[in-house]
């Protein structure tokens, strides 16, 4: 990849960071939601006991981290709808860089923000008493990044098909929420009926949550290499599909 | 050599709206090509196809010898564009917008600083450079967009109604800058505009487009001569004698009294004023006033599209236009 493409990736990344820190309300909203989830679910289901010394909040924390990384990244991807409405997308799409470069730049920007958010949620959950394996945080960052790549690309692809944010609400409810709920973020995969287990195993986020949970609290339901392979494959595939979609679409 | 070539270029939106209808055009390298046409004629659609934002339904186009459909990355590397509608990030400052552009177009650090200062100065936005664009006025935004489009030196530059809504001063400055870019860097410029003055001042050649089709392409001077002769209007103390005398000359096409003066129809008006004065002196007629009216591009435009720029948009104008069209047939 040429240095011009690196510049382009850098500036696309930089733009997202700047915009994020200038929109204060988004900053707050993005942290309040996971905080509430951890508080209410964590203490509400506090009576649940897992084998060993695990509490429900320990189990829940990696799930909520995944959820907030997914929401934040998805939002970064879908915010391209705004760029289109304000016309800025045209400026990006006529620039002398490949579509893949644009998707990478956009993805890295959104992912950076999502990882920062994921780490903040991690901090919050530790404050609320979750027992986190500190050595697992570094590899967990890689997992968070992969989840973010996956979700930003998905947001970008969704955005290319949508005219406005109304449509996004629908997709949120029909696609994103089921993906989150079926991902074992809230309940363990081992105890559900077989049919549901199959459905859950088809959800790529299951592997993401399981990977994070294994690294952060030392409890894998699936082999770690499988978690890793599935997450890498999905995020790479979605980035490529994103680049393809943007090279075809007349989305200006 | 041609910088831009289109053959049979067609765009049909949503399978129904024929926005561009088999357009052929060829813009030479280093030329300023003006594109005139009423609202909805298809100008912006053509620019979108040439800049790879949308794909032609039919036909093909080459920009800098690259096919816009098969080699979009190569085409994008050689073009610059100022869009008709806003394309700024209003959460960034003016300077950040320019910096974004400079980097994504791969300008080196030195070049970047230099060019940003230069274009900011051109559009007189130095003071506002660090202000968020959302606090800019409409005209300031427009100026920033133009500044951005002129920042990297592309081989071919598309300007879609660049000076729309700008004050006279700024417009002049931008025209001269465009001319200078064209002369000194040999940049090919493809310009759409509704201002006759702008098209005439800048363009080497002009195409008039109406309802997705190019109706005529020529130099401004030649287009003007197509719609008719110049008119010298003379006020004097003896119309009859002057008329009789003038009608004897073979370079005079027609003389007719009109509103208390004489209208003399000639070709090449500026060269004939002196001759008219001389004839009047020879026969002792006193000239009180004299002026020359040359047909302008507005007349050309009217002639080819059947409507004047000002009529556009109002229903009344449309009716008149349709009536006139029927008459022409
Ligand atoms: N995205 C679109 N979808 C459907 N129709 C469109 C679209 N964009 C333009 N059109 C139609 O195509 C035709 C040509 O539009 P275009 O914007 O190219 O005109 P224009 O010559 O640039 O006009 P103006 O002088 O007003 O800018 C119009 O009839 C317009 O309604
Ligand atoms: Mg237009």
């Amino acid at each position: 990849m040429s240095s011009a493409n690196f510049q382009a990736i850098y500036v696309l990344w930089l733009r997202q960071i700047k915009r994020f820190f200038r929109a204060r309300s988004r900053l707050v909203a993005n942290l309040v939601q996971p905080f509430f989830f951890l508080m209410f679910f964590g203490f509400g289901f506090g009576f649940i006991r897992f084998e060993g010394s695990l509490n429900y909040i320990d189990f829940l924390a990696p799930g909520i981290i995944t959820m907030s990384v997914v929401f934040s990244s998805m939002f970064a991807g879908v915010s391209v709808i705004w760029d289109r409405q304000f016309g800025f997308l045209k400026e990006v799409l006529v620039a002398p860089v490949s579509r893949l470069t644009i998707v990478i730049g956009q993805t890295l920007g959104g992912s950076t923000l999502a990882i920062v958010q994921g780490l903040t949620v991690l901090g919050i959950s530790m404050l609320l008493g979750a027992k986190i394996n500190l050595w697992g945080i570094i590899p967990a960052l890689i997992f968070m990044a992969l989840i973010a790549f996956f979700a930003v690309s998905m947001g970008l692809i969704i955005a290319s098909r949508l005219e406005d944010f109304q449509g996004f609400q629908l997709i949120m409810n029909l696609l994103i929420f089921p993906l989150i709920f079926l991902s074992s973020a809230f309940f363990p995969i081992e105890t559900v009926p077989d049919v549901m287990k199959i459905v859950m195993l088809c959800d790529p986020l299951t592997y993401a949550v399981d990977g994070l949970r294994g690294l952060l609290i030392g409890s894998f339901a699936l082999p770690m290499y499988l978690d890793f392979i599935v997450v890498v494959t999905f995020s790479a595939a979605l980035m490529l599909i994103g680049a393809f979609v943007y090279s075809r679409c007349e989305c200006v | 050599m041609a910088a831009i070539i289109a053959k049979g270029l067609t765009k049909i939106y949503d399978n129904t709206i024929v926005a561009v209808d088999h357009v052929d055009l060829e813009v030479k390298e280093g030329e300023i090509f003006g594109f005139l046409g009423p609202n909805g004629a298809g100008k912006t659609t053509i620019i979108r196809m040439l800049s790879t934002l949308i794909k032609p339904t039919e036909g093909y186009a080459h920009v800098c010898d690259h096919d816009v459909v098969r080699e979009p990355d190569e085409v994008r590397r050689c073009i610059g564009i100022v869009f008709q509608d806003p394309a700024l990030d209003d959460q960034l400052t003016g300077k950040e917008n320019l910096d974004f552009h400079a980097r994504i177009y791969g300008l080196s650090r030195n070049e970047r600083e230099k060019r940003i200062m230069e274009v900011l100065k051109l559009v007189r936005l130095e003071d506002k450079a660090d202000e968020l664009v959302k606090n800019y006025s409409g005209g300031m935004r427009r100026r920033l967009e133009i500044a951005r489009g002129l920042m990297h030196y592309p081989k071919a530059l598309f300007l879609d109604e660049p000076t729309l809504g700008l004050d006279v001063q700024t417009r002049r400055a931008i025209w001269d800058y465009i001319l200078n870019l064209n002369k000194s860097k040999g940049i090919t410029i493809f310009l759409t505009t509704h201002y006759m003055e702008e098209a005439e001042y800048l363009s080497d050649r002009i195409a008039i487009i109406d309802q997705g089709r190019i109706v005529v392409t020529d130099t401004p001077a030649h287009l003007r001569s197509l719609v008719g002769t110049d008119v010298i209007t003379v006020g004097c103390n003896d119309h009859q004698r002057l008329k009789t005398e003038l009608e004897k000359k073979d370079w005079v096409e027609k003389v007719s009294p009109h509103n208390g003066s004489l209208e003399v129809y000639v070709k090449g008006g500026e060269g004939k004023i002196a001759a008219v004065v001389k004839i009047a002196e020879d026969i002792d007629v006193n000239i009180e006033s004299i002026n020359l009216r040359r047909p302008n591009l507005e007349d050309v435009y009217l002639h080819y599209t059947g409507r004047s720029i000002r009529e556009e948009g109002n229903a009344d104008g449309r009716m008149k236009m349709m009536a006139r069209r029927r008459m022409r047939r």
Side-chain angles (χ1 to χ4, degrees):
Chain A
M1 199 176 278
S2 69
S3 76
N5 280 318
F6 276 120
Q7 278 281 335
I9 289 174
Y10 168 70
V11 78
L12 283 163
W13 175 85
L14 185 66
R15 167 170 180 260
Q16 295 229 354
I17 309 294
K18 281 183 179 161
R19 281 174 67 97
F20 181 80
F21 286 104
R22 280 171 198 175
R24 300 261 157 66
S25 62
R26 193 174 140 200
L27 224 87
V28 176
N30 278 352
L31 291 181
V32 168
Q33 195 202 34
F35 176 73
F36 282 162
F37 266 100
L38 282 167
M39 273 288 272
F40 302 151
F41 279 95
F43 295 132
F45 289 111
F47 61 88
I48 299 173
R49 283 285 168 272
F50 294 86
E51 88 275 18
S53 62
L54 280 186
N55 289 324
Y56 185 63
I57 190 151
D58 305 327
F59 176 85
L60 186 64
I64 301 299
I65 293 170
T66 307
M67 185 180 84
S68 64
V69 169
V70 168
F71 281 173
S72 167
S73 318
M74 189 74 78
F75 188 81
V78 169
S79 68
V80 164
I81 296 179
W82 267 313
D83 290 346
R84 182 157 72 221
Q85 279 176 352
F86 284 97
F88 190 76
L89 188 60
K90 290 190 296 254
E91 157 79 356
V92 178
L93 291 182
V94 294
V97 290
S98 72
R99 293 293 183 253
L100 184 61
T101 304
I102 292 171
V103 169
I104 292 177
Q106 204 76 20
T107 304
L108 287 182
S111 306
T112 305
L113 298 172
I115 290 170
V116 170
Q117 175 151 357
L119 282 177
T120 316
V121 175
L122 180 71
I124 294 176
S125 57
M126 283 165 82
L127 286 179
L128 292 175
K131 293 182 290 295
I132 301 292
N133 166 17
L134 293 182
W135 288 112
I137 293 182
I138 306 286
L141 281 177
I142 297 170
F143 247 89
M144 284 188 219
L146 290 170
I147 299 168
F149 293 168
F150 166 81
V152 178
S153 306
M154 192 142 106
L156 285 171
I157 294 166
I158 292 170
S160 75
R161 304 274 137 190
L162 290 181
E163 293 277 313
D164 52 37
F165 270 91
Q166 261 91 51
F168 182 56
Q169 282 302 325
L170 189 72
I171 296 212
M172 253 334 244
N173 288 326
L174 289 183
L175 182 70
I176 315 302
F177 278 119
L179 278 181
I180 296 274
F181 287 129
L182 288 173
S183 72
S184 84
F186 293 94
F187 44 81
I189 192 167
E190 294 96 328
T191 51
V192 298
D194 280 352
V195 180
M196 185 147 165
K197 194 179 260 172
I198 292 169
V199 178
M200 284 173 78
L201 286 175
C202 294
D203 179 354
L205 288 185
T206 299
Y207 303 87
V209 171
D210 190 64
L212 264 191
R213 187 170 284 140
L215 292 167
L216 289 177
I217 65 167
S219 144
F220 285 103
L222 303 162
M224 180 160 80
Y225 73 87
L226 182 64
D227 292 339
F228 187 73
I229 288 172
V230 170
V231 176
V232 168
T233 311
F234 267 88
S235 51
L238 277 171
M239 273 166 85
L240 289 176
I241 294 173
F244 177 74
V245 165
Y246 278 87
S247 69
R248 304 286 318 265
C249 86
E250 304 194 335
C251 33
V252 284
Chain B
M1 256 253 312
I4 303 170
I5 298 176
K7 278 267 184 307
L9 197 64
T10 301
K11 180 70 192 182
I12 304 176
Y13 285 114
D14 308 328
N15 289 323
T16 44
I17 305 159
V18 184
V20 174
D21 190 2
H22 296 92
V23 160
D24 296 336
L25 60 85
E26 188 169 329
V27 180
K28 294 197 250 336
E29 211 159 86
E31 188 176 31
I32 303 189
F33 191 83
F35 226 50
L36 275 171
N39 288 137
K43 304 180 292 295
T44 300
T45 304
I46 290 184
I47 290 194
R48 282 192 187 146
M49 288 191 278
L50 295 178
S51 61
T52 77
L53 281 175
I54 61 176
K55 299 199 169 63
T57 313
E58 229 180 85
Y60 70 87
H62 285 188
V63 178
C64 311
D65 290 325
H66 295 291
D67 189 289
V68 295
V69 176
R70 273 181 286 124
E71 306 161 293
D73 288 348
E74 283 79 2
V75 170
R76 281 194 286 269
R77 261 196 280 282
C78 97
I79 62 170
I81 179 165
V82 173
F83 298 99
Q84 180 179 354
D85 354 284
L88 296 167
D89 185 341
D90 65 358
Q91 307 282 334
L92 297 183
T93 67
K95 202 169 172 181
E96 284 170 342
N97 266 286
L98 297 180
D99 187 65
F100 181 95
H101 186 88
R103 285 176 193 269
I104 209 166
Y105 279 79
L107 268 61
S108 71
R109 172 195 287 264
N110 288 335
E111 223 178 343
R112 210 154 63 213
E113 302 280 312
K114 184 172 139 267
R115 295 293 296 144
I116 289 177
M117 282 343 240
E118 256 175 53
V119 293
L120 277 174
K121 190 144 171 262
L122 166 73
V123 296
R124 294 179 291 119
L125 281 176
E126 303 107 306
D127 299 345
K128 295 282 184 181
D130 294 319
E131 181 102 33
L132 288 184
V133 170
K134 67 176 175 199
N135 301 333
Y136 277 27
S137 76
M140 283 157 59
R141 285 170 198 227
R142 196 67 198 141
R143 268 144 57 191
L144 185 63
E145 299 226 25
I146 295 175
R148 186 174 67 180
L150 302 178
M151 199 159 62
H152 69 289
Y153 298 121
K155 283 210 187 106
L157 181 60
F158 295 93
L159 304 171
D160 201 353
E161 304 191 25
T163 61
L164 190 72
L166 292 186
D167 57 55
V168 181
Q169 260 179 314
T170 317
R171 180 174 301 166
R172 281 274 159 195
I174 285 166
W175 287 359
D176 290 333
Y177 195 85
I178 291 173
L179 278 180
N180 184 41
L181 266 185
N182 170 255
K183 295 286 168 299
S184 65
K185 309 269 176 199
I187 294 175
T188 308
I189 292 171
F190 189 99
L191 166 99
T192 81
T193 179
H194 285 239
Y195 298 111
M196 296 299 157
E197 217 191 331
E198 184 164 279
E200 206 161 2
Y201 188 77
L202 293 175
S203 315
D204 298 320
R205 281 192 307 148
I206 289 177
I208 293 179
I209 178 170
D210 192 24
Q211 301 186 337
R213 288 184 207 188
I214 292 187
V215 283
V216 62
T217 310
D218 220 321
T219 61
H222 201 231
L223 279 177
R224 235 186 284 114
S225 71
L226 282 181
V227 282
T229 48
D230 298 351
V231 184
I232 301 173
T233 312
V234 193
C236 64
N237 60 0
D238 193 338
H239 286 164
Q240 199 47 53
R241 263 177 55 219
L242 185 59
K243 180 170 188 279
T244 320
E245 200 59 28
L246 283 171
E247 279 171 342
K248 290 180 193 157
K249 308 291 175 198
D250 54 4
W251 46 267
V252 174
E253 294 189 356
K254 194 174 93 176
V255 185
S256 61
H258 181 74
N259 283 345
S261 41
L262 276 186
E263 290 195 329
V264 188
Y265 291 80
V266 295
K267 278 236 157 72
E270 13 359 28
K272 300 301 186 309
I273 294 181
V276 172
V277 173
K278 178 83 167 42
I279 291 164
E281 270 173 5
D282 287 350
I283 56 169
D284 273 337
V285 169
N286 277 335
I287 290 188
E288 288 147 7
S289 67
I290 188 159
N291 75 58
L292 171 69
R293 197 178 79 81
R294 322 190 59 192
N296 55 26
L297 270 188
E298 181 100 31
D299 299 311
V300 180
Y301 183 86
L302 192 68
H303 178 79
Y304 281 105
T305 68
R307 64 198 108 155
S308 80
I309 291 275
R310 276 173 219 95
E311 277 174 11
E312 271 170 28
N314 66 47
D316 199 40
R318 296 249 163 203
M319 297 297 288
K320 265 189 268 167
M321 159 201 114
M322 273 150 57
R324 216 178 290 129
R325 293 201 156 192
R326 244 175 270 131
M327 269 162 45
R328 270 201 286 139
R329 282 189 192 131

